[in-house]
Amino acid sequence: MDLTVWRTFVTVCRLGSLSAAATELHHTQSAVSRQIAGLERRLGVTLMERHARGVRPTPVGEVFRRHAQATLDEADRALRAVRDARDGADRPLAVGATPSLAAGIVPEAIRALLEGSGPLRWSLLPGLSGALHDRVIAGDLDLAVVTDAPPGLPHDPRVERRFLGLDEMVVALPAGHPRAGHGPVDIRELADQTWVEDDDGSAALLRRHAARAGVTARVDLAAADLPGKLALVATGHAIALIPGVLSRALRGDVTTVPLLDPPTRGVYALTRRHDPHPAAVPLLDHLAGAFAPHHAGAGEAADRTVE
């Protein structure tokens, strides 16, 4: 059976739309429909059903989707192995990390890996946790360092998840702020401040922490990314909730103050359960070692593995 048709079916299931799948696969919508119909005729079952906002797999279609996805993943791994063997080169290590972790801890761990193992081709891709999780499953990344900040991490049997530690959030202030150098501070003392956020997860942590203290955090400014968020803090326009792991990598005109009973987020390393990169295991140990000095004694044991 042609795996192209299987890939089309899996893509339609993931996107929930024939037209969206056609766009991603560079097919016409009618070609996608014909492929799905032909697959259904060959299997003798109905694989897709329509609903108000698109299409979804039937119960038997979902069973086929899981097996089709596993088959496609294995086929992709086989192709990569052949290409690597043909090129006579070791497989490069592709690492992903959230922006705050990519700013310090992950590069530290990669440096330690290279010092211990010698030359290795590698790349580092910053991104948000959910997207990085999906890229590990797709085989685009060998390892990703992510957090369980809202909306949290999905549980997927194809992914091995290792807990690295708890990261305590801190408040970023302009260097001349009256609270600079004085802490830990109660969130209620900052209730009249203007806050800036760059993603929904950090904003959710801030609002929950403020609500527990009986106040409201005024998130009046939005930034496109972490550097933009810190730029607004540095120029005195706002203050911000940021990951504690970022403290050592801040620009010189931004400082931090700890919070009383701070919100936390779990930090995890994700790898594929099957066909892991040979360098992934030692890198996991270096990541745990890089995280420990930042958060000695915080949270759970760094070698905890979560299924």
Side-chain angles (χ1 to χ4, degrees):
M1 188 176 291
D2 185 1
L3 290 185
T4 300
V5 179
W6 290 33
R7 196 174 299 277
T8 298
F9 174 72
V10 168
T11 303
V12 172
C13 291
R14 174 168 54 84
L15 298 176
S17 165
L18 294 173
S19 60
T23 299
E24 181 172 306
L25 296 169
H26 305 290
H27 296 329
T28 64
Q29 184 171 336
S30 60
V32 170
S33 297
R34 287 196 300 272
Q35 289 183 53
I36 300 299
L39 185 59
E40 289 179 323
R41 285 195 299 272
R42 179 157 189 176
L43 296 176
V45 295
T46 300
L47 297 173
M48 305 294 303
E49 60 185 4
R50 294 188 176 275
H51 62 94
R53 291 179 292 180
V55 295
R56 63 189 169 209
T58 61
V60 69
E62 175 59 21
V63 171
F64 179 72
R65 184 202 65 78
R66 291 197 298 269
H67 288 280
Q69 183 67 70
T71 300
L72 292 170
D73 290 344
E74 185 60 35
D76 290 341
R77 285 193 290 270
L79 291 174
R80 284 197 301 272
V82 169
R83 285 195 295 267
D84 290 343
R86 177 200 64 196
D87 297 339
D90 292 335
R91 177 172 143 198
L93 176 67
V95 181
T98 62
S100 60
L101 293 161
I105 283 179
V106 174
E108 288 176 21
I110 293 175
R111 180 184 62 190
L113 174 68
L114 297 177
E115 290 174 350
S117 65
L120 172 70
R121 289 191 298 138
W122 61 276
S123 61
L124 176 58
L125 174 71
L128 298 181
S129 293
L132 294 174
H133 177 278
D134 292 343
R135 297 195 72 164
V136 170
I137 292 175
D140 299 331
L141 294 174
D142 297 298
L143 184 147
V145 189
V146 299
T147 79
D148 61 4
L153 289 173
H155 286 271
D156 192 297
R158 292 168 290 178
V159 174
E160 191 82 20
R161 199 163 83 175
R162 177 169 172 176
F163 179 76
L164 297 176
L166 285 178
D167 182 25
E168 294 185 351
M169 305 295 285
V170 298
V171 179
L173 307 169
H177 192 279
R179 288 289 177 185
H182 301 283
V185 64
D186 192 307
I187 188 69
R188 287 171 291 193
E189 299 176 45
L190 302 172
D192 61 341
Q193 300 283 307
T194 296
W195 295 77
V196 57
E197 281 302 341
D198 63 326
D199 69 78
D200 293 339
S202 182
L205 287 175
L206 172 61
R207 291 191 173 102
R208 289 179 187 175
H209 182 68
R212 285 199 302 268
V215 295
T216 300
R218 292 179 19 233
V219 185
D220 293 336
L221 294 177
D225 52 24
L226 186 56
K229 176 177 175 176
L230 294 175
L232 290 173
V233 172
T235 50
H237 293 290
I239 63 175
L241 190 71
I242 66 168
V245 294
L246 190 60
S247 297
R248 295 200 313 188
L250 289 176
R251 46 192 288 176
D253 48 4
V254 174
T255 188
T256 64
V257 62
L259 284 167
L260 289 172
D261 189 23
T264 62
R265 58 182 193 160
V267 178
Y268 296 86
L270 307 180
T271 56
R272 290 192 301 275
R273 192 172 292 275
H274 303 292
D275 190 31
H277 192 285
V281 173
L283 181 55
L284 285 171
D285 293 334
H286 290 302
L287 284 165
F291 191 86
H294 293 257
H295 295 79
E300 304 172 51
D303 61 354
R304 174 184 169 196
T305 298
V306 179
E307 299 299 331

